[in-house]
Amino acid sequence: MSGDTEARPNDARPTFVSPRTLLEQARPILPPRTFTALDREQLDGLSTIRAFLKARTSYDVLPISYRLIILDTALRVQKSLNILTQNGIVSAPLWDSKSSTFAGLLTTADYINVIQYYWQNPDALQKVDKFRLSSLREIEKALGVKPIETISCHPDRPVYEACRKMLESRARRIPVVDIDDETKRTMVVSVITQYRILKFIAVNVKETQKLRKPLREMSVGTYKDIATCYMDTPVMDVIHMLVKRNISSVPIVDKQGTVLNVFESVDVIALIKGGSYDDLNLTVGDALLKRSPDFPGIFTCSVQDSMSTIYDTIRKSRVHRFIVIDEDAKLRGVLTLSDVLEFTLLEGVDDE
């Protein structure tokens, strides 16, 4: 073999294709998106809302006067449940008195986790009255569910940051936490819910009227694989759905798919508030009879409605979710406040 090598001409060099290039060649080329006047109007409205959220602080969202109940982690679960029901609230910040620190937010999901745990371990049911809030993490580990949410926001930071934290953690509410100037210790100021933030927008930003595209033309809400139940479905079956899917409600339909009502996670609280777990054996229909007389009912919408209509309803009424139905009241989807918040913050961000 000769030691001399002849240089290859450029066109004879082997072609090396990187995986990225190969994928790009295989990816279909999509036509550029065409923006209508309605699209541009909606993006303009969303841009105004986001600018508003970045200019306002979490403190601005708080009402002029409010009541704040904080629970010590040494408190027994049943006692904490009594406190929540007596005060008509469904969540409360937790405080670790041993370390004098904020310990997370107690919600109805935590009580549902306790129910799920004792349902799987019936021998431990007799110990439920002695169970303390500080041991909730043991329950979460045993069930393999998400631990107590410990995210928080500072009162002086933009409310936009609080919204992003809620979306990233899938939390429906976020505690407002500050540092005491004198003691330099953590101090819980309040709790902001998704509803309060969305109503804050609806009341103060008139540009929500620009969000006129119908839901059918947007990817917002859930329209496939929706968890549902019947009036004769056992409550425990619905609780399993809530835990497995990490959702806060299940639409109740008849055999034809017509929406009759909604079973919410807070309905579980009414069944166990007296310390007895026997009512968990009830059917969904019987459980609804134990609801508070001032239950506001369910809110519905159609795919013809726009986000402008949704915001208008939030401004006027205390809403937790919208059940999407057709002209025959058949279930078509579920639009949660999380969906509305995500749309408000992220829709068209790349296009902007």
Side-chain angles (χ1 to χ4, degrees), residues 29-270:
I29 299 176
L30 299 176
R33 179 179 173 184
T34 302
F35 283 95
T36 65
L38 200 60
D39 288 323
R40 296 191 182 283
E41 181 186 42
Q42 180 152 287
L43 286 177
D44 181 60
L46 290 171
S47 179
T48 301
I49 294 172
R50 291 163 191 162
F52 171 78
L53 293 175
K54 292 174 182 177
R56 297 295 185 274
T57 67
S58 295
Y59 187 82
D60 294 331
V61 183
L62 302 180
I64 296 176
S65 63
Y66 59 89
R67 175 182 55 181
L68 178 64
I69 295 176
I70 303 176
L71 304 180
D72 195 297
T73 54
L75 201 64
R76 291 183 178 177
V77 169
Q78 187 57 51
K79 182 66 174 178
S80 70
L81 181 59
N82 294 339
I83 293 174
L84 293 189
T85 54
Q86 288 169 8
N87 289 277
I89 56 178
V90 296
S91 66
L94 294 177
W95 184 261
D96 187 336
S97 55
K98 292 182 179 179
S99 58
S100 295
T101 56
F102 167 64
L105 189 68
L106 180 71
T107 68
T108 53
D110 297 304
Y111 293 105
I112 290 176
N113 287 341
V114 172
I115 293 171
Q116 183 89 336
Y117 174 77
Y118 284 112
W119 189 265
Q120 295 177 5
N121 303 274
D123 294 340
L125 186 58
Q126 58 184 357
K127 302 178 183 177
V128 69
D129 291 336
K130 300 179 181 179
F131 197 71
R132 297 184 184 278
L133 296 177
S134 57
S135 301
L136 283 175
R137 292 194 183 279
E138 297 175 14
I139 296 290
E140 294 155 358
K141 290 179 180 178
L143 293 176
V145 298
K146 190 176 180 181
I148 286 180
E149 195 57 70
T150 56
I151 64 165
S152 64
C153 61
H154 191 278
D156 293 333
R157 297 298 301 166
V159 66
Y160 183 86
E161 290 184 9
C163 294
R164 291 304 296 253
K165 286 184 178 182
M166 293 171 77
L167 289 182
E168 291 166 4
S169 64
R170 292 178 58 84
R172 300 179 182 93
R173 48 184 57 82
I174 184 170
V176 181
V177 178
D178 200 355
I179 302 296
D180 187 277
D181 292 335
E182 295 182 0
T183 65
K184 304 303 179 184
R185 290 185 174 181
T186 304
M187 175 179 63
V188 181
V189 178
S190 186
V191 176
I192 300 177
T193 63
Q194 289 178 338
Y195 168 74
R196 180 161 292 282
I197 291 175
L198 294 174
K199 183 170 183 178
F200 184 61
I201 295 171
V203 169
N204 294 285
V205 187
K206 67 179 185 301
E207 280 77 8
T208 54
Q209 299 172 9
K210 293 185 175 183
L211 312 181
R212 298 190 296 115
K213 284 190 69 173
L215 294 177
R216 69 172 185 276
E217 296 182 17
M218 302 185 293
S219 299
V220 54
T222 301
Y223 300 91
K224 296 180 180 179
D225 191 28
I226 303 171
T228 60
C229 65
Y230 303 112
M231 282 294 187
D232 59 358
T233 300
V235 168
M236 276 309 303
D237 288 356
V238 181
I239 289 178
H240 295 326
M241 293 183 203
L242 295 173
V243 174
K244 182 178 181 180
R245 294 181 178 237
N246 189 27
I247 54 180
S248 61
S249 68
V250 176
I252 306 169
V253 298
D254 63 13
K255 301 302 180 181
Q256 287 72 46
T258 302
V259 176
L260 303 177
N261 214 312
V262 175
F263 188 89
E264 304 178 348
S265 57
V266 294
D267 289 320
V268 177
I269 303 301

